[in-house]
């Protein structure tokens, strides 16, 4: 409704504050409305925070409203600036001492049970600079008497403007500023309120409970619960004087009247909470163990225990107060036992009984409480108690909620996804050929939405602005999660409702027509956008998305909008979009935006470093307290094992008479659970170990603050700006050439130095600063720094290498040292750190022709240590296992699915699923990077170069690692754009060993050279196919038979060619095949057997291809004369068909044809060629032997020389074809001329056959064909006349006919234009003199003699 906006406008109306009483009352009511508007409502507080400047004016109402804005809102309290704090401190100085100003300061230093250290420091700084008008203390004798008078005056306790109430709130403010072991504020508060003054005030007989509570709370946070030891509190008698005062107060609350209407609630709360907390913290402090004052004050100690026990036995304490008292009693009892302090026997017995009873009750109640919170639980039996029925109802409701949530969540996701579909194609919402549709097609809708987002920021509509930014980011989301079948069905229904059916069909048709193979490699298809990710990014950029990101980051209205803006920028840059990078560069270089833009990032980095320095903790618990953790985990596991039995567990008999206390104890457990989440200063009691609160509190302490975590998206954004080696942005991040330059490159290195503890790593302390919570941030910093340098960018390399911080030393230490205790249980994170660190060092030395950076890296690194690190990393896992085989197999599988020839919808979905999975780094890969680093550094260090040579290292494991990496490392030389030659060292993946020898030879021989004589371009065109083949070969090992066949593809090919040559030799020598088996001379037969035996002996002793061919030839020759030519030819042909089939299987196995789609298979030329080859083999076996002759053409495909000969013709085939077409056209024109003018000259001599001779030749041909037995025939029909006789008869008849006819006949050859064209083509091309040799010789007296001579000479 915007009611707050109306009230804010009302508050800005000017009026006379003293004269206009009604207006003053109205303004007070308006402030009251705004205060209630903000109470417990974070979104409303965020709305009001945008108008905070309206309340930064003197006045109590303004202070109350400002306090309501920040009340229990940690996010807003973290955004408080120094001017705000200075304003309220100045109001106290110039306006009046009022408690509302102090309460505002109390609000911002502690919110939602957590202290805000930044606000503590700022408030303490302003208070220390303020004068006596703000700091009202009663330190001297005269002022102390005034304090006593104020405490004796009853009206001072109720008047908010009284100095007493102001003084109490001031002490509470100081206590809040020192809470959380803030050393900075503790030191300042010691001088403001010494221990002597605290004791003097608290021990005075007229001291009020409110004053005692404030002073003792300050004592607890400033002197007892501190980071450093305050010797004064542990060595002097001040604390024991306070303990004696505590005993008096305990007696007062225990002896008070039982009438609760007249009870002193403030004193009771002071005793049960503040006093008990101070006693517990004092004796639990590690510094009190060294104090000897406890032995000297044993009577007071025993009285404290007795007084606490009396308070516990009272009826008025609530569960939370009882918990505090029990905790104090337990602490005192433990101290007495550990220090040998004598306690009365009856008191000890009563305490033990009470504590054990409370422990049992609380644990039982806790189990009931935890059981009620379980999402899924079997219902309690019908005979259970009332509590069981209550639990049954709760569990039933929880089951219903759980089921509904599982069913409705996919539908909600699908409904939200429709908004993104609409934004991708908003024009489909409008009818065709309308103005609205044309505007949407041109991007007007998205453009208006982006411009409206800027207006939302200006109008303080942060929630809606964040929603729009998230939706724009969702438009570039690759994951298409529609919530299963039901979600997809709902989505299609909504799309049909929003779009018409025709528009929806058009949308689906456009999607179906788009082939993923049209996109370049690396592009991702967005199904909802019907286009690629890069095109969507560019579309949003054209409509102003890049400008929106820059504007929002510059304005930075809030932390949330800043994060969403950076996330949108990351989505725009994802995938290395160079167009978006250029757009960002253009946006930043114009209108002087860069200075403000980079200042925001610089300030965020500086703030993160400040926060790290203020909250850094050394991670020693993981390394030295693992047994305790394991014990706790085992205890949790045992608790989970018995969880299923809790509902049906019977109540113990000793507790049956105390069922009336069960509800009370349950409330006590719940109060402890809530308090353990909010109160960090209360230690966890032993008898509450099973509660979850303590564990949650422990986990919360390990989490990094938002000021530090914001660096994750910032560094990712900067990394993407420099992606693809963008030289302009790499240098621009270092220097903007403005009046004020912000070097984000060095600042990133400084951040890495800060988060790693600013240590050089030489003392082995680096691992104490790295844990699971910040390791991801450290990795991102390393990746961003690497991207700054790659390309290379020499300026950034020098900036990082020679920076004054310890950054480069930390990176070196990450490579060399063990990172413990993180490495003891998360070695995968350590390997990722080492991998990124080694890549950064390689990037710093990339394309460096000098040794400056290498010497800087080697300065804190010994060569022996680097070599040992290589071996250590290599053997992080079992060296006998193939550790990375599964990862390589998965990688190959994804690569095969990602090839353009076989992409489909299912594969794309699988790719998306695989991309979401986090890939771990293998130890071999990390060790390989370190080895390449050592190899690069060895060029500048002789000792390191010597150690890398084989046989130098005495350690066998390190030597084995070096040999492995040396065998799997290669080097190439490249020529950069500046014409400088550079050596590139790179690891050879293990998958490369699976490349077949046939493919290597084929690529080496068949890849064509370019104009410069290089084969690199052609090689990269075949890289995808070779990679797919290697991956398939790796998977093929799992199929032994197919792998054995595939590995011998060259052998099958050679056998096939040799069999083809042998078959054609048989056909050429013996065709037509004789009917009967020929007898062989015994001498020749013996010679053949001798050849068989000799060649067999040679094959056995010295196997050579020539010997094998001789043996096979001799055997075939023997079979021809033994079993017959046709049987031998049929046997060899069958072997050829079988062998070619095996070769085809081998080819399919090597090429991975089994995994390709049908379309990809039938378009594979080599596969089709061999299928045709197999078909010819079958035709030669079954149809006719002459088909075998076509197989000899395979020699062209096998031999590169012949193939090049064919290519020399076919390469210019188009020119030859066009020349032939031109020749045909010219002949056609000349034929027309001849037909029109020289038709009578086309008289040619012909030799006609007689009809009888034609009949006889036909009979002879039929007889010759009948004399031939077809291949594979069993019975051949006997011809009527012998074959030779038929030929003789046909020849004789022909001679006779020639003799009878005698002479030649002539006939015209140009009666029709077709005959004229055919005659010209036939005789004109065959005759040496052209068509003129075949025409009639004309007389010189003829009229067309000269024209005809010219025409025939041309032809």
């Amino acid at each position: 409704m915007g009611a707050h906006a109306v009230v804010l406008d009302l508050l800005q109306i000017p009026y006379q504050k003293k004269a206009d009483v009604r207006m003053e009352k109205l303004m007070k009511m308006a402030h009251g409305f705004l205060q209630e508007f903000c109470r417990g409502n974070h979104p409303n507080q965020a709305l009001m925070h945008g108008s905070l400047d309206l309340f930064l004016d003197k006045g109590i109402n303004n202070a109350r409203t400002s306090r309501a804005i920040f009340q229990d809102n940690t996010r807003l309290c973290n955004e408080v600036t120094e001017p705000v704090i200075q304003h309220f401190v100045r109001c106290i100085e110039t306006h009046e001492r009022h408690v509302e100003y102090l309460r505002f300061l109390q609000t911002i230093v502690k919110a939602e049970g957590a202290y805000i250290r930044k606000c503590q420091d700022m408030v303490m700084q302003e208070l220390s600079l303020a004068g006596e008008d703000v700091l009202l203390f009663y330190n001297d004798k005269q002022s102390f008497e005034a304090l006593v008078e104020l405490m004796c005056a009853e009206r001072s306790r109720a008047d908010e403007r009284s100095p007493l109430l102001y003084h109490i709130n001031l002490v509470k403010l100081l206590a809040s500023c020192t809470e959380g072991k803030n050393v900075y504020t503790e030191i300042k508060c010691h001088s403001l309120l010494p221990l002597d003054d605290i004791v003097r005030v608290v021990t005075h007989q007229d001291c009020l409970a409110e004053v005692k509570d404030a002073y003792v709370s300050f004592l607890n946070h400033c002197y007892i619960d501190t980071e450093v030891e305050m010797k004064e509190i542990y060595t002097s008698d001040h604390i024991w004087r306070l303990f004696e005062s505590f005993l008096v107060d305990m007696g007062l609350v225990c002896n008070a009247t039982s009438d609760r209407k007249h009870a002193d609630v403030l004193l009771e709360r002071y005793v049960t909470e503040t006093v008990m907390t101070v006693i517990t913290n004092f004796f639990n402090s590690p510094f009190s163990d060294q104090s000897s004052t406890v032995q000297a004050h044993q009577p007071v100690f025993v009285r404290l225990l007795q007084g606490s026990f009396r308070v516990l036995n009272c009826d008025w304490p609530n569960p939370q107060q009882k918990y505090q008292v029990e905790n104090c009693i337990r602490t005192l009892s433990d101290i007495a036992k550990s220090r040998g302090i004598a306690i009365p026997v009856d008191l000890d017995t009563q305490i033990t009984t009470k504590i054990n009873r409370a422990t049992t009750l609380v644990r039982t109640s806790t189990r009931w409480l935890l059981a009620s919170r379980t999402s899924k639980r079997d219902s309690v039996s019908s005979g259970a108690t009332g509590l069981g029925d209550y639990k049954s109802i709760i569990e039933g409701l929880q089951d219903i909620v759980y089921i509904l949530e599982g069913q409705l969540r996919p539908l909600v996701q699908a409904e939200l996804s429709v908004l993104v579909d609409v934004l991708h194609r908003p024009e489909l919402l409008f009818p065709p050929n309308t103005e609205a549709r044309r505007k949407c097609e041109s991007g007007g809708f998205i453009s208006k939405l982006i411009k409206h987002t800027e207006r939302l920021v200006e109008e303080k509509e942060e929630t809606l602005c964040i929603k729009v930014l998230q939706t724009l980011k969702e438009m570039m989301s690759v994951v298409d999660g529609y919530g299963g079948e039901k979600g997809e069905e709902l989505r299609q229904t909504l799309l049909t409702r929003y779009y018409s059916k025709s528009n929806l069909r058009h949308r689906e048709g456009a999607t179906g027509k788009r082939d993923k193979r049209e996109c370049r490699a690396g592009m991702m298809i967005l199904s909802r956008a019907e286009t690629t990710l890069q095109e969507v990014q560019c579309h949003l950029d054209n409509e102003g998305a890049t400008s929106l990101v820059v504007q929002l980051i510059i304005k930075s209205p809030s932390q949330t909008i800043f994060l969403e803006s950076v996330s949108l920028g990351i989505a725009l840059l994802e995938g290395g979009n160079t167009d978006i990078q250029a757009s960002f560069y253009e946006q930043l270089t114009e209108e002087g935006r860069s200075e403000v833009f980079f200042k925001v990032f610089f300030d965020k980095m500086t703030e993160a470093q400040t926060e790290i320095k203020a909250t850094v903790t050394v991670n020693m618990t993981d390394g030295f307290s693992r047994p305790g953790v394991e014990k706790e985990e085992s205890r949790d596991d045992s608790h989970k094992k018995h969880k299923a039995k809790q509902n049906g567990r019977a109540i113990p008999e000793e507790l049956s008479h105390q069922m009336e206390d069960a509800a009370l104890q349950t409330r006590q457990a719940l109060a402890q659970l809530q308090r353990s989440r909010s109160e960090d200063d209360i230690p966890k009691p032993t008898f509450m170990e099973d509660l979850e609160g303590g564990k949650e509190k422990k986990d919360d302490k390990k989490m990094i603050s938002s000021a530090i975590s914001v660096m994750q998206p910032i560094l990712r954004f900067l990394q993407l700006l420099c992606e693809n080696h963008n030289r302009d942005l790499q240098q621009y991040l270092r220097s903007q050439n403005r009046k004020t330059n912000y070097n984000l490159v060095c600042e990133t290195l400084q951040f890495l130095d800060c988060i790693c503890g600013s240590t050089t790593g030489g003392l082995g302390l680096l691992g104490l600063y790295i844990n699971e919570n910040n390791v991801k941030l450290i990795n991102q910093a390393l990746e961003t720094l690497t991207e700054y340098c790659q390309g290379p960018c020499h300026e950034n390399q020098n900036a990082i290498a020679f920076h004054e911080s310890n950054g480069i030393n930390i990176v070196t230490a990450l490579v060399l040292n063990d990172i413990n205790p993180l490495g003891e249980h998360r070695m995968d994170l350590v390997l990722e750190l080492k991998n990124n660190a080694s890549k950064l060092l390689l990037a710093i030395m990339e394309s460096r022709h000098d040794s400056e950076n290498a010497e800087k890296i080697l300065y804190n690194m010994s060569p022996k240590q680097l070599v040992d690190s290589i071996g250590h990393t290599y053997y992080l896992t079992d060296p006998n296992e193939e550790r990375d085989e599964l990862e390589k197999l998965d990688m190959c599988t994804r690569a095969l699915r990602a090839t353009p020839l076989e992409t489909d919808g299912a594969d794309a979905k699988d790719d998306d699923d695989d991309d979401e999975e986090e890939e771990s780094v293998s130890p071999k890969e990390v060790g390989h990077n370190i080895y390449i680093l050592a190899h690069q550094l060895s060029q500048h260090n002789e000792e390191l170069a010597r150690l890398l040579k084989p046989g130098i290292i005495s350690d066998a494991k390190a030597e084995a690692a070096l040999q492995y990496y040396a065998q799997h490392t290669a080097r190439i030389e490249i020529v950069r754009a500046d014409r400088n030659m550079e050596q590139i060292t790179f690891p050879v993946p293990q998958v490369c060993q699976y490349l077949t020898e046939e493919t290597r030879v084929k690529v080496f021989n068949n890849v064509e050279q370019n104009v410069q004589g290089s084969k690199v371009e052609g090689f990269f065109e075949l890289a995808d196919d070779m990679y797919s083949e290697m991956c398939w070969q790796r998977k093929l090992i799992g199929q032994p038979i197919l792998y054995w066949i595939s590995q011998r593809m060259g052998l099958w090919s050679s056998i096939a060619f040799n069999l083809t040559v042998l078959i054609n030799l048989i056909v050429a020598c013996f065709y037509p095949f004789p009917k009967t088996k020929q007898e062989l001379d015994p001498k020749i037969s013996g010679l053949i057997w001798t050849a068989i035996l000799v060649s067999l002996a040679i094959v056995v002793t010295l196997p050579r291809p020539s010997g094998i061919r001789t043996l096979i030839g001799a055997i075939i020759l023997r079979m021809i004369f033994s079993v017959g030519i046709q049987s031998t030819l049929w046997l060899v042909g069958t072997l050829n068909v079988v062998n070619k089939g095996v070769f085809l299987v081998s080819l399919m196995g090597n090429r991975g044809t089994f995994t390709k789609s049908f379309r990809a298979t039938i378009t594979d030329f080599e596969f089709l060629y061999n299928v045709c080859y197999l078909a010819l083999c079958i035709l030669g076996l079954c149809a006719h032997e002459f088909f075998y002759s076509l197989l000899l053409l395979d020699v062209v495909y096998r031999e590169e020389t012949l193939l090049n000969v064919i290519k020399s013709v076919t390469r210019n085939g188009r020119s030859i074809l066009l020349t032939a077409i031109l020749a045909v056209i010219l002949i056609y024109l000349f034929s027309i001329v001849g037909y029109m003018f020289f038709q009578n000259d086309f008289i040619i001599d012909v030799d006609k056959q007689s009809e009888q001779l034609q009949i006889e030749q036909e009979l002879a041909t039929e007889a010759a064909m009948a004399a031939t037995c077809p291949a594979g025939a069993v019975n051949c029909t006997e011809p009527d006349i012998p074959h030779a006789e038929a030929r003789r008869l046909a020849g004789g008849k022909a001679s006779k006919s020639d003799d009878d006819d005698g002479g030649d006949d002539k006939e015209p050859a140009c009666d029709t234009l077709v005959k004229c064209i055919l005659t010209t083509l036939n005789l004109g091309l065959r005759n040496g003199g052209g068509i003129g040799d075949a025409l009639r010789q004309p007389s010189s007296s003829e009229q067309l003699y000269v024209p005809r001579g010219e025409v025939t000479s041309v032809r």
Side-chain angles (χ1 to χ4, degrees), residues 1099-1229:
V1099 169
V1100 173
T1101 56
L1102 297 173
R1104 293 288 187 274
S1106 57
I1108 297 176
R1109 290 191 184 97
T1110 304
L1111 175 62
I1112 295 176
I1115 294 175
I1116 294 297
L1117 187 60
R1118 179 67 264 178
M1119 290 179 62
I1120 289 174
F1121 295 101
S1122 297
V1123 299
I1125 298 176
Q1126 295 182 5
S1127 299
T1128 303
L1129 186 63
W1130 185 87
L1131 177 62
V1132 177
T1134 303
L1135 291 177
N1136 194 22
V1137 171
V1138 173
N1139 176 77
K1140 198 59 186 180
V1142 173
F1143 173 82
L1144 197 59
V1145 173
S1146 174
L1147 176 68
M1148 297 172 66
N1150 278 325
R1151 299 294 185 268
T1153 309
F1154 301 103
T1155 61
K1156 294 182 179 179
S1157 62
F1158 177 75
R1159 181 177 180 181
T1161 303
I1162 62 176
T1163 55
D1164 187 355
F1165 172 77
E1166 187 173 6
F1167 175 76
L1168 293 179
Y1169 172 82
N1170 287 280
V1171 169
C1172 294
Y1173 191 102
L1174 179 61
L1176 290 176
C1177 293
I1178 297 175
L1179 289 174
L1181 181 65
C1182 301
H1184 200 278
E1185 294 83 359
F1186 287 167
F1187 282 105
Y1188 287 124
S1189 62
L1190 298 177
L1191 299 180
L1192 291 175
L1193 296 177
D1194 183 52
V1195 68
V1196 179
Y1197 190 77
R1198 291 172 56 87
E1199 295 297 331
E1200 182 186 6
T1201 303
L1202 296 178
L1203 193 61
N1204 291 334
V1205 173
I1206 300 299
K1207 288 182 179 179
S1208 64
V1209 178
T1210 57
R1211 185 173 299 169
N1212 301 320
R1214 188 173 183 272
S1215 301
I1216 297 174
L1217 180 61
L1218 292 176
T1219 304
I1221 292 174
L1222 178 61
V1224 172
I1225 293 173
L1226 293 176
I1227 291 175
Y1228 173 68
L1229 296 177

Side-chain angles (χ1 to χ4, degrees), residues 377-446:
R377 178 72 62 186
D378 296 336
S379 60
V380 189
S381 60
S382 59
T385 60
L387 179 61
D389 295 336
Y390 176 71
K391 287 167 50 185
S392 176
I393 295 174
I394 293 178
E395 290 168 359
L397 293 175
Q398 289 174 342
D399 289 340
I400 295 174
V401 173
Y402 181 81
I403 295 173
L404 291 177
E405 184 180 14
Q407 294 179 351
L408 297 180
R409 179 177 295 174
L411 302 180
V412 174
Q413 292 176 351
E415 187 175 2
L416 293 177
S417 69
V418 175
L419 176 61
V420 179
D421 289 275
V422 173
L423 291 180
H424 279 304
R425 298 295 299 275
E427 66 274 7
L428 298 181
L429 295 173
F430 305 98
N433 301 324
T434 58
E435 184 66 22
R437 181 155 186 160
R438 285 192 293 270
K439 289 182 178 180
C440 291
E441 288 176 348
S442 61
F445 184 82
I446 298 295

Side-chain angles (χ1 to χ4, degrees), residues 282-300:
F282 177 82
F283 289 106
N284 281 333
S285 174
F287 307 118
S288 66
D289 295 338
Q290 305 174 2
S291 176
S292 60
T293 57
V294 179
Q295 303 294 338
H297 298 84
Q298 290 189 15
V300 179

Side-chain angles (χ1 to χ4, degrees), residues 990-1001 1003 1019 1025-1027 1029-1031 1033-1034 1047:
Q990 288 187 345
V991 71
C992 292
Q993 66 183 344
Y994 300 107
L995 185 66
T996 59
E997 186 64 27
E998 292 79 8
T999 303
R1000 300 186 192 207
V1001 175
V1003 171
F1019 172 79
D1025 295 335
M1026 287 190 293
Y1027 184 73
E1029 178 184 345
M1030 289 184 289
C1031 295
Q1033 289 292 328
R1034 170 62 189 88
Q1047 288 299 106

